[in-house]
Amino acid sequence: MKLGIVGLPNVGKSTLFNSLTKAGAESANYPFCTIDPNVGVVAVPDERLRLLTELYHSAKTTPAVIEFVDIAGLVKGASKGEGLGNQFLANIREVDAVVHVVRCFEDSNVIHVDGSVDPVRDIETINLELIFSDLEILERRIAKTARAARNDKTQAKELQLLEKLKAHLEAEKLAITYEPADEDEAAWLSQYNLLTAKPVIFAANVAEDDLADDGASNAHVRAVRDYAASSGSEAFVICAQIEQEIAELDDDEKQMFLEDLGLKASGLEKLISASYSLLGLLSFLTAGETETRAWTIRKGTKAPQAAGKIHSDFERGFIRAEVVNYRNLLDCGSYAAAKEKGLVRLEGKDYVVQDGDVILFRFNV
């Protein structure tokens, strides 16, 4: 999974990126500090992996990973050359979802580019810049398709879609709200990699005092949550400064620190949960003496396609899947004991993989 982080300058975007990835992206109290796209890969915290590794005495543990891409802060007019953000938007065209960091804290020592804290205004500023960036993509595609459309019915149909999409964006509507007329339109739309077609997770960045009640008493956070609910997006509360402190601690210290703050989960865990929910993802597991590993797939994926995540030969020569729920496996103490109790199931090609399944694939090529 790949997530792109966007936001205005000085909203805590790079501080959050640093804390999530420990990659050390430069952050400072002035705009345009991040002038190169920063990329960091983060392991998805998963207690199930640790427990299964202990059960099997696995030589290696491989978690699922998320790749974060952080770009320079966007400002009003970025698409017309203002600031530095627009030139880096291409770096997040390939992401699965956009994490939009929104400032929800008041602090006279941290400059806001528009002079005041107003999350909905800030969200709409960024949306507009993403729309302008997408319009550039569409205009180039229209010019190219128009030439071919004269003698090709398929190209003529695509040109109609491009014109409709352009009008949709010019009305300041995001591409994700466009309803494709048929499968052809849906397929073309997915090829364009439009930024406004990507699902969005809003990270409401608050001061430490607002963490305990998860931002419930913060009017700015309420505004972000209302906006997210109205647009079919996810939203969660984070304090980038606290996340930076958490990032420096080992696992035991981290747990104590979170408990002292009255928190059940770190910002990273909340972000991962929101990402999996928004994108409809789950993890199945493989376990053994050699390696215990988590694999990320979309909900609804059937056993052969899940096997293909491991290796194309597994999907091509799929025979069956031996499946046991990780909790049952741990409770029984061994795979043999789980099998003896009838908790290991033999599943065929139509089995839909569930979160927490521990699977052994049988195949022949």
Side-chain angles (χ1 to χ4, degrees):
M1 179 164 53
K2 195 171 181 179
L3 302 175
I5 304 179
V6 302
L8 292 170
N10 294 349
V11 295
K13 195 170 57 63
S14 290
T15 304
L16 176 60
F17 173 81
N18 288 348
S19 60
L20 294 179
T21 63
K22 300 184 187 177
E26 192 181 354
S27 63
N29 181 23
Y30 53 90
F32 320 131
C33 187
T34 314
I35 55 170
D36 289 311
N38 292 280
V39 179
V41 177
V42 177
V44 174
D46 193 336
E47 179 70 359
R48 300 173 300 189
L49 283 179
R50 184 184 65 79
L51 296 169
L52 287 170
T53 296
E54 288 174 1
L55 180 67
Y56 280 92
H57 305 291
S58 307
K60 184 180 177 186
T61 307
T62 307
V65 297
I66 295 179
E67 186 175 314
F68 289 101
V69 183
D70 178 38
I71 62 168
L74 296 171
V75 293
K76 195 177 290 181
S79 56
K80 299 179 180 67
E82 293 294 323
L84 296 169
N86 191 49
Q87 61 186 292
F88 300 114
L89 283 173
N91 294 299
I92 59 167
R93 286 207 175 272
E94 303 299 322
V95 301
D96 299 301
V98 171
V99 179
H100 185 159
V101 183
V102 189
R103 178 170 168 175
C104 293
F105 64 89
E106 301 281 354
D107 186 343
S108 57
N109 296 315
V110 181
I111 305 152
H112 190 292
V113 289
D114 287 330
S116 62
V117 177
D118 183 339
V120 172
R121 177 202 61 207
D122 294 352
I123 289 168
E124 289 173 348
T125 295
I126 297 289
N127 283 350
L128 209 49
E129 295 312 315
L130 299 183
I131 285 171
F132 288 143
S133 183
D134 281 350
L135 280 169
E136 281 183 32
I137 298 288
L138 289 180
E139 281 160 6
R140 287 201 293 271
R141 187 95 182 197
I142 286 168
K144 182 182 169 187
T145 308
R147 291 192 294 272
R150 297 186 193 109
N151 306 307
D152 187 317
K153 285 183 179 176
T154 303
Q155 296 278 347
K157 183 179 177 182
E158 185 182 359
L159 183 60
Q160 285 184 331
L161 167 64
L162 289 164
E163 295 285 8
K164 284 190 289 184
L165 265 177
K166 183 170 179 277
H168 188 81
L169 292 176
E170 285 174 341
E172 297 186 8
K173 296 175 185 173
L174 306 181
I176 200 167
T177 64
Y178 177 82
E179 292 285 345
D182 54 30
E183 287 181 9
D184 287 342
E185 284 201 356
W188 282 320
L189 186 54
S190 68
Q191 288 171 16
Y192 302 152
N193 259 346
L194 298 177
L195 292 169
T196 62
K198 297 185 185 297
V200 178
I201 302 156
F202 292 104
N205 188 16
V206 300
E208 182 183 336
D209 293 347
D210 286 323
L211 273 180
D213 68 352
D214 202 32
S217 56
N218 182 317
H220 297 317
V221 172
R222 290 198 295 275
V224 172
R225 284 187 167 133
D226 289 346
Y227 189 96
S230 69
S231 61
S233 304
E234 291 275 340
F236 71 102
V237 170
I238 198 163
C239 174
Q241 288 294 343
I242 291 293
E243 289 302 310
Q244 203 163 36
E245 290 179 41
I246 290 172
E248 303 303 319
L249 304 174
D250 63 32
D251 287 345
D252 289 340
E253 290 175 324
K254 192 179 294 182
Q255 200 52 48
M256 286 170 60
F257 187 66
L258 288 171
E259 285 170 10
D260 286 346
L261 290 170
L263 302 177
K264 291 177 182 173
S266 69
L268 175 61
E269 289 164 329
K270 288 198 275 188
L271 173 53
I272 289 168
S273 175
S275 307
Y276 272 60
S277 170
L278 187 68
L279 296 171
L281 302 175
L282 58 82
S283 293
F284 74 90
L285 311 156
T286 53
E289 288 182 9
T290 307
E291 181 183 39
T292 289
R293 182 165 181 167
W295 304 86
T296 304
I297 56 172
R298 292 197 180 277
K299 287 177 184 174
T301 300
K302 292 186 177 178
Q305 289 69 51
K309 285 285 287 185
I310 300 172
H311 197 286
S312 57
D313 284 351
F314 283 31
E315 182 174 359
R316 194 156 50 90
F318 180 87
I319 299 170
R320 66 177 182 272
E322 295 180 15
V323 184
V324 58
N325 177 270
Y326 86 98
R327 191 69 263 169
N328 290 337
L329 177 56
L330 291 168
D331 288 345
C332 289
S334 73
Y335 187 80
K339 205 166 187 177
E340 205 173 287
K341 289 187 178 180
L343 295 171
V344 177
R345 310 183 311 277
L346 299 183
E347 301 286 1
K349 292 182 177 180
D350 290 330
Y351 176 68
V352 176
V353 175
Q354 302 299 306
D355 189 56
D357 279 349
V358 181
I359 306 180
L360 175 64
F361 292 105
R362 300 293 184 186
F363 71 103
N364 183 34
V365 288

